[in-house]
Amino acid sequence: MRLLARRLLLPGLTALALAATGCSSTPHTRAAEPAAPATLAPSVDGTSQQLDVAAAPQGSPTPAAVSRGDGKGKTEKSSLKVASYDKESGRAVISTAPEGPTRTPSPGKSPEAAKPVAAGDVIASAPAPGAPNGLLAKVTEVVGKTDRGTEVKTAATTLNSVLGDDRADGKVPVDPASVTVEPLMKGVTFSWAKGQGLKFGPQGAKLPLGNLRLDVDASVDTAPDAPASAGASVTGFVQLAPQVEFSYDGTPGGGAGPRGAYLGMSGDWSSQWKLQGRAAASTGAPKRIPFAKLHSSPVIQVGPVPVVVNLDLTCYIQVEADGRVTLDVQQDVKGDFKVGGSYAFGKGWTPVSTSTVQSTPVQATVTAAGRVKGALGAEASVGLYGAVGVTADFAPYLRGEADAKATASSDGKTSVTGAWALYGGFDLSGNLHLQLSLFGTPVFERKIPLGTLNREWALVSGSTGR
């Protein structure tokens, strides 16, 4: 029997790594920075105001903010910082941030900003020693003075205790230089480009500013019955320009918590993926091969308050098949994405997940009988101060089917017939988590599914007979 072999034009195999980060064959590291100043605040009252949302200043400790447990005044900048923190005991040492030689006092800064920390104050700190994901906590007791500052006991609290009745809404691009990477296989490289001509990695000179690029060139297991010459491999890249989306509405009238809130990640992306060979797979669970873990903790400045957003991403290759199918596929795609959680008073938390895909035609070959589905996807999470808020799994894929049948008669005539089809698509799923209550919204008792979003479209199909 002759196996069906067809060359097809298709506009559909999508490849996306959702996240706010990239990968490298060697992790990209940065020098340790001084502990960032803290934000100190209790509940606030007064007139609601619109707060700016922007990236925290680079090259210097993140500005602090302070409002006191006695409820006087609005949250404002301070000269305090978290010198150290112990997660197990909840104890922290609060000290005064050193004034730089070029810094001048802010006009009109209240004397309250320089007062020592007291019980009832709330600490919202950028990453600091012992708190790599930042710190959001309320001071429950002042233990005493040390040679490093004031030692205090703390307890968990929420963002509405520092943002109060103010409002904020904005998008902040992720600094590509803040990304750390952990390659999980050989053949993974990471590149980025940012302002002031700064570039990293072999593709850095080709990237638009603010973009990350992940390249992969790796072999994958071949099918057990494949010939020795039938190697399987995946090559390609994913290019991202991710940004954090944050909003908060604490205006009065929404009950004990805020009127509304949103946390998510969005951005533009482009990618190219090529899968060749007969990859190992069988009926049952798909074969998933993680190839890199990525992490970033960008600090966004919401008015005077530093808010730490945690982004984690695991990129993977996934193949499933139920026959002896050999693929040779390649496609270029472009699109955008958005995932997150939105809160409205009276309605609770609802998921947000959207994506668009545009592709250019490329060639593909499907040989043999059977079915195959290949994806280059990503598991992503977005949270605050080290607590996971939203998880998502995005898996753009190509699905192929091929069937062949041969017949013979006693007069010596033979015939070969077959049919084939290729489909493009993507699966997007995930959950909202309990930790989104960090905004000060009511606690929900279970995970809220994003709901499975699936899009699939026919690329090309045909049949043959002889």
Side-chain angles (χ1 to χ4, degrees):
M1 177 184 296
R2 295 178 55 188
L3 295 177
L4 177 64
R6 301 288 297 182
R7 181 161 295 276
L8 313 173
L9 285 178
L10 63 112
L13 172 63
T14 57
L16 168 69
L18 178 63
T21 46
C23 298
S24 173
S25 56
T26 55
H28 176 62
T29 59
R30 304 178 67 192
E33 296 182 354
T39 295
L40 300 177
S43 58
V44 297
D45 52 20
T47 304
S48 175
Q49 60 182 332
Q50 186 72 32
L51 302 177
D52 292 332
V53 178
Q58 298 293 314
S60 61
T62 304
V66 60
S67 181
R68 300 299 174 175
D70 53 16
K72 297 178 180 179
K74 282 283 190 179
T75 302
E76 62 180 20
K77 292 183 179 181
S78 78
S79 56
L80 300 176
K81 70 172 186 179
V82 175
S84 66
Y85 175 71
D86 182 74
K87 183 177 181 180
E88 292 187 3
S89 66
R91 293 196 176 201
V93 175
I94 311 300
S95 63
T96 301
E99 293 285 338
T102 60
R103 294 177 60 182
T104 57
S106 300
K109 177 179 283 190
S110 168
E112 294 284 313
K115 286 176 55 178
V117 65
D121 294 341
V122 174
I123 304 169
S125 173
N133 293 312
L135 179 64
L136 180 64
K138 183 176 183 178
V139 176
T140 59
E141 180 184 341
V142 175
V143 178
K145 296 287 185 179
T146 72
D147 57 352
R148 295 179 299 149
T150 303
E151 183 177 358
V152 299
K153 294 181 180 180
T154 67
T157 191
T158 56
L159 266 173
N160 64 321
S161 63
V162 287
L163 297 179
D165 59 4
D166 289 332
R167 291 161 288 127
D169 186 11
K171 301 178 181 180
V172 178
V174 175
D175 180 1
S178 70
V179 175
T180 58
V181 298
E182 180 186 353
L184 303 178
M185 65 167 55
K186 295 181 179 180
V188 178
T189 57
F190 170 56
S191 308
W192 52 258
K194 60 180 294 186
Q196 295 81 47
L198 299 177
K199 300 177 176 65
F200 176 81
Q203 302 295 330
K206 302 178 183 179
L207 294 178
L209 297 182
N211 274 246
L212 313 170
R213 174 162 163 156
L214 163 70
D215 286 79
V216 59
D217 183 356
S219 60
V220 297
D221 294 340
T222 54
D225 59 348
S229 60
S233 64
V234 60
T235 58
F237 69 85
V238 176
Q239 187 171 303
L240 300 170
Q243 56 188 0
V244 173
E245 297 190 9
F246 179 95
S247 68
Y248 173 88
D249 182 0
T251 52
R259 279 180 178 264
Y262 178 79
L263 175 66
M265 181 173 64
S266 63
D268 296 327
W269 55 267
S270 61
S271 56
Q272 182 184 94
W273 180 36
K274 186 172 185 179
L275 176 64
Q276 293 177 297
R278 189 187 301 176
S282 61
T283 55
K287 183 179 182 65
R288 179 170 290 197
I289 309 169
F291 60 87
K293 291 183 179 180
L294 322 149
H295 176 75
S296 181
S297 293
V299 180
I300 60 175
Q301 198 75 34
V302 182
V305 181
V307 176
V308 184
V309 182
N310 310 116
L311 307 177
D312 288 280
L313 186 72
T314 299
C315 302
Y316 64 83
I317 304 160
Q318 183 167 296
V319 179
E320 57 180 308
D322 64 358
R324 301 177 180 180
V325 177
T326 299
L327 278 181
D328 186 349
V329 298
Q330 178 179 327
Q331 185 183 31
D332 298 323
V333 295
K334 291 184 178 181
D336 55 36
F337 64 89
K338 176 183 286 189
V339 293
S342 179
Y343 174 80
F345 177 73
K347 296 182 179 180
W349 283 97
T350 57
V352 175
S353 58
T354 62
S355 178
T356 61
V357 172
Q358 295 179 340
S359 58
T360 57
V362 292
Q363 288 187 327
T365 302
V366 179
T367 306
R371 299 177 181 179
V372 68
K373 183 177 179 180
L376 176 61
E379 298 173 350
S381 69
V382 185
L384 297 171
Y385 300 102
V388 174
V390 182
T391 58
D393 192 326
F394 196 97
Y397 64 80
L398 176 79
R399 185 172 66 84
E401 298 178 349
D403 183 36
K405 181 184 297 183
T407 61
S409 63
S410 58
D411 60 5
K413 294 181 179 180
T414 63
S415 66
V416 177
T417 60
W420 43 263
L422 286 173
Y423 306 87
F426 65 85
D427 295 314
L428 175 59
S429 60
N431 294 280
L432 304 185
H433 294 261
L434 173 69
Q435 288 88 340
L436 278 176
S437 61
L438 276 172
F439 277 97
T441 61
V443 175
F444 45 93
E445 297 179 356
R446 58 182 177 82
K447 295 178 182 178
I448 301 176
L450 291 179
T452 300
L453 177 63
N454 173 264
R455 297 286 185 271
E456 184 173 277
W457 49 92
L459 299 173
V460 67
S461 61
S463 61
T464 185
R466 179 176 64 79

